[in-house]
Amino acid sequence: MGQIWEILHKPDTVVFFDIDGTLTSYNYGDHHAHHELDYTPEFRDVNIYADCKRLNPIYEYIQSHDVNRLYCISREPHGHESWKSEMVERLYGIPASHCFYTLDASKKPEIVKDKIKELFPDIDPMSVVLMDDNDETLGLYMKETPFCTAHPMIFMENL
């Protein structure tokens, strides 16, 4: 993990953060980690991001990095894109325009590759880090992209 930590701290590194479980706690519910209304129609009308708190170790990293090299990619099946983007901008200072969404998590690698090609066409693939808390998504990134991957627990391990 030492190399991932070192790569994250290079000034030219571009990072794509997942949002749920990475930039926010996944403890949205009253009695369960995920919101009890999830997968119900009324969940579309609940802004679970309104009272999220920043995760300080990740916030400190973001504050020390060039925000123009920080992006988010998230699966969003509930129509909460604007609330998520607002939360990311409010808590971390990552512009809402740096947030990208998909209905299908398996599309994340393709979206990231396209964005990197568009925004940083000459970047060394080892200067891109894709951070996600989901093992399946991390596996897809590893299989389908040339980029580095990281789990957000890396910030806890390096306190």
Side-chain angles (χ1 to χ4, degrees):
M1 281 201 269
Q3 288 184 333
I4 297 170
W5 189 246
E6 289 173 20
I7 293 166
L8 278 169
H9 286 83
K10 290 181 180 179
D12 62 336
T13 296
V14 172
V15 182
F16 273 78
F17 293 98
D18 173 52
I19 296 177
D20 297 292
T22 300
L23 293 180
T24 65
S25 169
Y26 213 56
N27 294 307
Y28 300 131
D30 292 325
H31 304 285
H32 301 284
H34 201 63
H35 202 284
E36 286 83 356
L37 293 178
D38 196 10
Y39 304 110
T40 65
E42 58 267 35
F43 189 63
R44 291 191 174 276
D45 299 325
V46 177
N47 183 356
I48 61 174
Y49 302 96
D51 61 355
C52 286
K53 294 175 177 40
R54 72 173 50 114
L55 302 175
N56 282 323
I58 296 175
Y59 174 72
E60 290 169 12
Y61 168 77
I62 288 170
Q63 292 302 295
S64 71
H65 205 75
D66 179 358
V67 73
N68 293 314
R69 301 182 84 76
L70 301 174
Y71 296 85
C72 297
I73 179 145
S74 182
R75 185 179 78 85
E76 183 46 58
H78 305 293
H80 292 170
E81 295 90 344
S82 64
W83 288 331
K84 276 189 184 185
S85 295
E86 184 279 328
M87 180 271 304
V88 166
E89 192 161 10
R90 176 174 41 89
L91 295 182
Y92 294 102
I94 298 173
S97 62
H98 286 208
C99 297
F100 306 102
Y101 298 96
T102 179
L103 290 173
D104 182 354
S106 71
K107 301 293 184 196
K108 283 181 160 186
E110 180 183 334
I111 293 167
V112 170
K113 286 190 296 187
D114 289 346
K115 287 299 171 185
I116 291 294
K117 188 176 182 179
E118 172 190 339
L119 300 168
F120 302 94
D122 299 323
I123 196 166
D124 177 351
M126 289 294 108
S127 293
V128 178
V129 178
L130 310 178
M131 186 170 300
D132 206 294
D133 66 314
N134 183 285
D135 288 342
E136 187 174 325
T137 302
L138 289 170
L140 286 173
Y141 281 151
M142 189 172 70
K143 181 180 172 186
E144 298 179 21
T145 77
F147 309 129
C148 300
T149 60
H151 191 282
M153 282 301 294
I154 196 168
F155 292 104
M156 299 298 113
E157 295 165 347
N158 287 283
L159 283 176

